[in-house]
Amino acid sequence: MSTITATPAALADLTGSWTIDPTHSRVGFVARHAMVTKVRGAFNDFEGRAVVDGADLSGSRVNLFIQAASIDTRNEQRDEHLRSNDFFDMEQYPQITFASTSVTQTGPAALEITGELTVKGITRAVSVPFDFEGMAADPFGNQRAGFEGAVTINRRDYGVTWNAALETGGVLVSDKIVLEFEISAIKTV
């Protein structure tokens, strides 16, 4: 039987090195389409690491590496367009990265991870609020921790500017994009 904890003391239990388990995690996004609906997608190839000092979170760091070509919106034609120069220019910029600059506790089971997000060679600071969902020992002897977070960015800030005007007014793709993170991390040390 696994034990789950999500008390304030559990944040101190996060001390150590962690690796994101990509088979149990999701790095996704949501964009408004044609001003009336939403398109959801994900990046299927990513890896991440964290070193956490639960006693002093200011000494913690998080890194995430996303292979941009792994974009998946469940529509191959749209995905190919997103991989092109119009959007991510994946030939020239194959990787999207995030490197934390600070980790702070914002509530009993809440963190804010601030860092540098790099898309298409453009780096901007972002702060992502995360809820700590708890810890559990899995059946294979791994200690796991779960986190969920989301942040809204403006894609134009990263040079992702392509759009098409609609006959009824407005544009095909929203500038605001919600980045979503559902993370299962495995303790390595």
Side-chain angles (χ1 to χ4, degrees):
M1 176 174 243
S2 53
T3 305
I4 299 175
T5 57
T7 63
L11 289 174
D13 295 338
L14 290 172
T15 297
S17 295
W18 297 82
T19 300
I20 293 176
D21 175 0
T23 62
H24 294 97
S25 300
R26 179 177 176 272
V27 175
F29 59 89
V30 180
R32 180 127 335 250
H33 179 259
M35 313 265 317
V36 296
T37 61
K38 293 179 181 175
V39 170
R40 295 182 184 279
F43 293 97
N44 295 327
D45 185 2
F46 57 89
E47 62 182 61
R49 298 180 290 280
V51 176
V52 180
D53 181 345
D56 179 9
L57 288 175
S58 67
S60 302
R61 63 185 182 278
V62 178
N63 291 289
L64 180 64
F65 307 92
I66 301 166
Q67 300 308 314
S70 72
I71 196 165
D72 181 2
T73 63
R74 300 180 336 192
N75 179 300
E76 189 56 38
Q77 183 179 3
R78 178 174 47 225
D79 294 347
E80 285 303 318
H81 190 203
L82 290 169
R83 290 180 185 110
S84 76
N85 293 354
D86 283 347
F87 285 91
F88 288 108
D89 192 5
M90 293 177 192
E91 292 284 326
Q92 186 169 345
Y93 305 103
Q95 198 170 68
I96 298 167
T97 62
F98 176 83
S100 70
T101 55
S102 72
V103 178
T104 56
Q105 185 171 353
T106 57
L111 303 168
E112 183 170 85
I113 301 176
T114 299
E116 296 179 336
L117 176 65
T118 302
V119 179
K120 283 185 74 174
I122 299 172
T123 302
R124 302 262 190 239
V126 296
S127 293
V128 185
F130 278 93
D131 290 326
F132 174 50
E133 300 296 325
M135 293 175 59
D138 71 20
F140 308 104
N142 297 310
Q143 186 67 29
R144 290 184 177 269
F147 302 88
E148 290 186 8
V151 65
T152 301
I153 63 168
N154 187 322
R155 66 187 179 93
R156 291 182 168 278
D157 291 345
Y158 297 91
V160 182
T161 59
W162 183 90
N163 225 328
L166 300 174
E167 289 181 17
T168 56
V171 291
L172 186 62
V173 183
S174 63
D175 288 342
K176 291 183 179 179
I177 307 296
V178 178
L179 302 178
E180 301 173 323
F181 304 92
E182 298 165 15
I183 304 299
S184 177
I186 298 173
K187 193 168 191 175
T188 56
V189 181

